[in-house]
Amino acid sequence: MLRTALRNVLAHKARLLMTVLAVMLGVAFVSGTLVFTDTLGNAFRNQSAKSYDNIAVAVEAPVKDGREVGIPASALKRIEGLDGVAAVTGRVSGFAGVADQDGKLIGVGWSNKGGNFAPGKDGKDAAYDFVEGTGPLTADRIALDRATADRGDYRVGDTVRVSTDGPVREFSLAGIFTTEDGAVNAGGSLVLFDTAVAQRQYLRPGHYHHVTVAAHPTTTAQQVLEGVRPLLPEEAIARTAGAWADREAEAIESSVEGLNTVLLAFAGIALFVGIFLIANTFTMLVAQRTRELALMRAVGASRRQVKRSIILEALFVGTLASAIGFGVGLGLAAGLRSAMDSWGVKIPAGPLVVSPTAVLAALGVGIAVTVLAAWLPARRAAKIPPVAAMSSVHAPATSGSLLVRTLAGAALTAVGAAAIATGASFEDGDDGRTVIAVGAFLALIGVIVLIPQLARPVVALVRPLLRGGFGVAGELAGRNAVRNPRRTGATASALAIGLTLITGLTVIGATLGASIERATTDNVLGHYAVATASGNPVDESVLTALERTEGVAALSPQQAAEVRIEGEVRTVSGVSADDVHRVLDLPVVSGSLDALGRGEIALTRTSADENGWQTGDTLAVTFEGRGQKDTKQLTVGAVVQDNEFVSGVVLPREMLAPYEEKPDIREVWVTMDGGASPVNEQVLIDALGNDPGITVSDKQDIRTKLGGMINTMLYIMYGLLGMALIIAVLGVVNTLAMSVFERQQEIGLLRAVGLDRRGVKRMIRLEALVISVFGAAVGIVLGTFLGWAIGETFRNNIPDYALTLPWDRIGLFLLLAGAVGVLAALWPARSAAGLDVLTAVKTE
């Protein structure tokens, strides 16, 4: 039986090619993911460990009451005097944005960093290798990383404009260095300042965020740690360099595991879709060899031996495909690494990591999926009686088995749909999405089981269109599409899975996009939002500059703070009492917004309803900060409609001023005389000193930014799901090839009675079109239902939430499914039309 299995594999190379491709693609996805994430994690772990080279102990400054305290220079002096300490280095860091020659920010804001140049006794800073010039040794000089200098076209001696969340300043470029800093690798920038300048900008004079301690060779890190700890401020965190490296490695592994899980989930989807193709392929091979298998049974082969023979074939195919797929996966991992470099996300240098786990997992999954998919056809082949097989390709399914299948599919679908609907009604969105995920799995399995039974009534609806539009070829295509409902269902299921996921993602994306559109259109009256590129709070100097700008009709910051209201800590928004109603749409439910000018507060409707508060109530509000703590009795002067750009409690920002050392201003909303225009935008940019670290965005910019993030995520998801769709297309090709093989005699007779080659091709293409559109329609319906349910779990977090169905994209998906069917039919249609009439008629 082993020799027979091997012979059959070699005898049906063309038929098995698509199975090999399906398994290969899935295994390539799995192996590529595992190798890439292992390589990524190893590279960043090595980079992290390298940053602690020649360091014994590292110290992180404490944070008290949300304020960075810092480690004083006096502590560093004491540490330097310890026995066994070779050197002590202090570091401060924060945002620093570099302007290019056109005044635009180099980098992406969050990854633009600044720090201090900390030379040792030799005048060099061990953390950086200078390729040109020297480090900044005076207050008017800086140094840049080489990538930033190249992007800005800067040379040593040039004047560079730098923003640090305050007024933009100009510095002379003293040097250019190389670094393995993660922010620079992510496409950001790194600016080095003189230590005193960096301290004034990011902390306070004479203090550091981080301290590193190097030890003499004869002193252990633990000994240094024990000596350092008593010299530090309370709550400062000191660990050995090895302990810090281990913690960072754990964090890296955790983040890589998240990426690994997402990518493997899509690989699993691709392999799940591949199961249908593999099962169809082995069903076809069994059909081709029905008489051969019957003869084997007749001469003494047992059912177990027949089944074992087919399983062995699957094992050979799975092993071959998995081996090829693993090789392709290595190329995929290397290519993805290069692609990330080309996208500006640099990965630290290091070898491609191929772990035994990756090899065993990829090969094991590929082989297991192939054998599992071939098991059912093998079982069916073994059950065919020899006499029946001698005269029939397949023993027909009994009505009992079809009834059981239908009932099981209906039950699973009903339970899954109920779970999805239940999850959509949950108050807790996370719990609801978990229930929806379980329901989606059950519903998808149920629909897959039901699809063969759904094929007949659905195709019956379109058969009049096929007959009316395409005559005999259309009528034959409609009949052929449901001739073997199991196989049609398996092929349609593969497409349905892919379209379910794609449609669900699209519905969620369209709904969120429409919500963003409504939020910026309905909730904002101002023309511009001014914020920092880094996401850090806006400096008060920005507010002062805007107040003095000609043409500004109204402005209000959105200042976030925490206070206690009736004993409970709550986030509040500090606004300009006189102008907030001119920059944000806050329709009044009761009271008047003029109350803010009288020192009263306003509540959003949701906040008032949840707490049972109303206009006229007096609330105990406790303010704390700058060493003060005051409790005031404040009156609720207004209740307004919810607006996502303010918190549930709104008060005049003047109330917060005595308690805020540095106000947390998230953005400043501005209304301009004459409305939004390029001229007015430039007026604001000029008023802010053409600062690259400050963004001036109109409503469309806000919509584009937020909507662009959603679209980017959708496109990434589409790309990952593309693997499953490719396998589904191979399944359509496979099904049509099987159909042509089984109907050779019938096609020959059709040709003999007058159906020309063009008619045969049209018949096959229309059959593919029907199957593809049927699968896509099922997927779109289920995906829309899932999109609605998942969207409902976000309802409480999105004001004015409303389901949005992207009919244009849904229509496009149907058209693409039809196009996929027609393209997939090219080879089978050509093969069918090319059959010799006499040979086909004689085929048994």
Side-chain angles (χ1 to χ4, degrees):
M1 297 304 292
L2 181 64
R3 287 197 300 272
T4 301
L6 183 59
R7 177 183 60 80
N8 285 325
V9 169
L10 297 175
H12 300 96
K13 294 186 289 292
R15 288 285 182 263
L16 290 168
L17 176 61
M18 281 175 285
T19 293
V20 171
L21 285 174
V23 178
M24 181 198 75
L25 289 172
V27 170
F29 209 150
V30 172
S31 60
T33 294
L34 293 174
V35 171
F36 174 70
T37 52
D38 284 347
T39 299
L40 196 67
N42 182 69
F44 281 111
R45 279 193 298 272
N46 289 341
Q47 182 191 55
S48 175
K50 186 179 178 181
S51 67
Y52 290 104
D53 284 351
N54 305 316
I55 294 174
V57 171
V59 183
E60 188 174 280
V63 176
K64 291 184 178 179
D65 300 325
R67 186 172 62 88
E68 295 174 314
V69 176
I71 301 170
S74 58
L76 272 68
K77 288 289 185 182
R78 291 194 295 271
I79 293 171
E80 281 181 341
L82 291 174
D83 291 336
V85 171
V88 181
T89 304
R91 302 283 184 190
V92 287
S93 60
F95 168 78
V98 180
D100 63 15
Q101 302 292 345
D102 297 323
K104 303 298 183 183
L105 181 68
I106 297 174
V108 290
W110 62 268
S111 61
N112 294 328
K113 293 174 58 179
N116 64 306
F117 176 66
K121 294 178 182 179
D122 59 357
K124 296 180 180 179
D125 190 328
Y128 310 105
D129 294 322
F130 278 80
V131 294
E132 293 182 42
T134 62
L137 299 176
T138 58
D140 62 342
R141 292 174 176 266
I142 61 167
L144 292 177
D145 68 275
R146 183 162 61 181
T148 301
D150 289 343
R151 283 184 287 175
D153 196 23
Y154 288 120
R155 300 291 181 267
V156 172
D158 288 350
T159 298
V160 182
R161 300 177 71 249
V162 181
S163 171
T164 55
D165 284 337
V168 66
R169 294 178 58 191
E170 293 186 347
F171 297 87
S172 175
L173 182 59
I176 298 172
F177 58 89
T178 59
T179 177
E180 288 296 319
D181 187 276
V184 176
N185 286 335
S189 60
L190 179 58
V191 183
L192 295 182
F193 301 92
D194 172 66
T195 295
V197 173
Q199 288 175 332
R200 285 196 300 271
Q201 290 177 160
Y202 300 129
L203 192 55
R204 52 184 172 146
H207 288 73
Y208 299 90
H209 286 121
H210 309 280
V211 173
T212 58
V213 184
H216 289 301
T218 57
T219 306
T220 66
Q222 189 60 39
Q223 288 173 329
V224 173
L225 179 63
E226 291 172 358
V228 166
R229 276 182 172 155
L231 305 180
L232 297 173
E234 290 184 14
E235 300 181 20
I237 302 171
R239 295 190 180 96
T240 64
W244 282 110
D246 290 342
R247 287 174 63 86
E248 290 188 10
E250 290 175 4
I252 290 168
E253 287 175 4
S254 177
S255 61
V256 170
E257 281 177 6
L259 174 64
N260 196 40
T261 300
V262 171
L263 292 177
L264 286 178
F266 284 96
I269 293 168
L271 286 168
F272 184 59
V273 172
I275 287 176
F276 297 98
L277 187 153
I278 298 165
N280 268 353
T281 298
F282 278 92
T283 298
M284 177 181 69
L285 294 176
V286 168
Q288 287 179 294
R289 294 161 42 212
T290 301
R291 289 176 181 262
E292 174 190 327
L293 295 174
L295 182 60
M296 290 172 62
R297 290 288 312 282
V299 297
S302 66
R303 289 186 176 183
R304 181 176 296 178
Q305 286 178 307
V306 171
K307 184 191 301 183
R308 190 182 302 154
S309 173
I310 295 173
I311 294 297
L312 284 172
E313 289 180 45
L315 184 62
F316 289 139
V317 172
T319 303
L320 174 64
S322 297
I324 297 172
F326 186 79
V328 173
L330 293 180
L332 184 65
L336 188 54
R337 179 172 178 166
S338 299
M340 291 186 73
D341 284 339
S342 66
W343 295 334
V345 181
K346 297 179 182 178
I347 299 175
L352 208 63
V353 178
V354 183
S355 66
T357 301
V359 177
L360 294 175
L363 296 180
V365 165
I367 294 170
V369 166
T370 309
V371 172
L372 176 66
W375 178 79
L376 190 57
R379 183 171 175 270
R380 288 176 182 165
K383 292 175 67 175
I384 299 175
V387 175
M390 289 292 186
S391 58
S392 175
V393 171
H394 277 297
T398 64
S399 58
S401 67
L402 293 177
L403 178 61
V404 170
R405 179 185 182 120
T406 302
L407 292 175
L412 282 172
T413 304
V415 171
I420 292 170
T422 301
S425 65
F426 274 35
E427 289 292 331
D428 188 316
D430 290 337
D431 291 343
R433 286 187 284 276
T434 300
V435 174
I436 289 171
V438 174
F441 178 76
L442 294 175
L444 199 56
I445 296 298
V447 169
I448 289 169
V449 173
L450 278 178
I451 274 184
Q453 307 307 313
L454 295 174
R456 290 185 184 278
V458 172
V459 174
L461 293 174
V462 300
R463 274 174 58 185
L465 297 176
L466 294 172
R467 182 169 55 247
F470 302 97
V472 174
E475 173 67 18
L476 291 172
R479 292 179 180 274
N480 291 332
V482 293
R483 173 176 292 189
N484 191 327
R486 289 180 185 271
R487 192 163 62 217
T488 297
T491 305
S493 295
L495 282 168
I497 294 169
L499 266 297
T500 294
L501 298 172
I502 287 176
T503 303
L505 289 170
T506 303
V507 169
I508 295 170
T511 300
L512 293 178
S515 297
I516 291 170
E517 178 79 22
R518 285 192 296 273
T520 52
T521 300
D522 300 341
N523 294 340
V524 177
L525 299 178
H527 301 123
Y528 295 100
V530 177
T532 61
S534 63
N536 294 332
V538 176
D539 191 80
E540 281 196 287
S541 62
V542 170
L543 196 58
T544 302
L546 291 173
E547 288 172 341
R548 297 173 178 173
T549 301
E550 186 176 351
V552 172
L555 65 85
S556 175
Q558 202 284 76
Q559 179 177 334
E562 286 189 346
V563 301
R564 288 185 179 274
I565 301 179
E566 296 294 316
E568 184 177 344
V569 176
R570 297 179 183 273
T571 300
V572 300
S573 291
V575 300
S576 295
D578 296 334
D579 285 350
V580 65
H581 64 285
R582 301 177 64 187
V583 296
L584 295 176
D585 188 23
L586 298 170
V588 176
V589 177
S590 62
S592 171
L593 276 176
D594 292 338
L596 292 174
R598 299 192 297 268
E600 298 178 356
I601 64 175
L603 307 175
T604 62
R605 187 170 198 165
T606 298
S607 180
D609 291 345
E610 287 178 350
N611 294 280
W613 297 331
Q614 58 187 353
T615 304
D617 286 352
T618 299
L619 306 177
V621 181
T622 302
F623 299 88
E624 189 172 0
R626 285 188 175 181
Q628 304 178 68
K629 183 176 181 180
D630 297 320
T631 299
K632 300 180 180 180
Q633 300 297 318
L634 299 179
T635 302
V636 178
V639 174
V640 299
Q641 295 287 1
D642 288 17
N643 185 307
E644 68 176 87
F645 295 107
V646 294
S647 304
V649 180
V650 182
L651 45 74
R653 66 183 300 264
E654 290 76 16
M655 284 187 183
L656 301 171
Y659 313 96
E660 296 282 339
E661 187 168 333
K662 186 175 181 180
D664 184 7
I665 300 174
R666 304 294 175 85
E667 63 261 323
V668 181
W669 297 98
V670 182
T671 297
M672 297 290 291
D673 292 330
S677 69
V679 172
N680 275 339
E681 183 172 340
Q682 191 60 49
V683 166
L684 294 179
I685 292 173
D686 292 341
L688 297 170
N690 200 18
D691 190 335
I694 301 293
T695 63
V696 178
S697 308
D698 60 18
K699 292 182 184 180
Q700 186 55 50
D701 291 333
I702 298 170
R703 286 193 289 264
T704 300
K705 180 181 177 180
L706 298 177
M709 293 168 58
I710 294 172
N711 287 331
T712 298
M713 291 299 299
L714 281 178
Y715 294 146
I716 291 173
M717 296 295 186
Y718 289 164
L720 294 173
L721 288 172
M723 188 77 72
L725 290 179
I726 290 172
I727 295 174
V729 171
L730 293 176
V732 177
V733 176
N734 203 31
T735 294
L736 295 173
M738 292 163 61
S739 180
V740 170
F741 164 75
E742 290 181 355
R743 289 161 28 214
Q744 288 186 56
Q745 187 178 55
E746 174 190 317
I747 292 171
L749 289 173
L750 290 172
R751 290 288 313 283
V753 298
L755 188 66
D756 59 11
R757 292 189 175 186
R758 181 178 296 177
V760 172
K761 288 182 180 180
R762 184 180 297 124
M763 176 182 70
I764 301 297
R765 291 194 197 106
L766 289 173
E767 182 179 346
L769 180 65
V770 168
I771 293 173
S772 299
V773 174
F774 169 56
V778 172
I780 286 171
V781 171
L782 186 54
T784 301
F785 181 46
L786 280 176
W788 163 80
I790 295 173
E792 287 294 307
T793 64
F794 292 104
R795 178 178 289 277
N796 293 335
N797 305 109
I798 302 176
D800 301 323
Y801 169 87
L803 177 68
T804 301
L805 295 180
W807 294 111
D808 53 344
R809 294 195 188 186
I810 290 174
L812 180 62
F813 293 158
L814 280 174
L815 289 176
L816 289 176
V820 162
V822 173
L823 290 174
L826 290 178
W827 172 61
R830 186 170 179 272
S831 175
L835 288 174
D836 180 82
V837 176
L838 294 178
T839 303
V841 169
K842 291 189 296 180
T843 300
E844 298 182 2

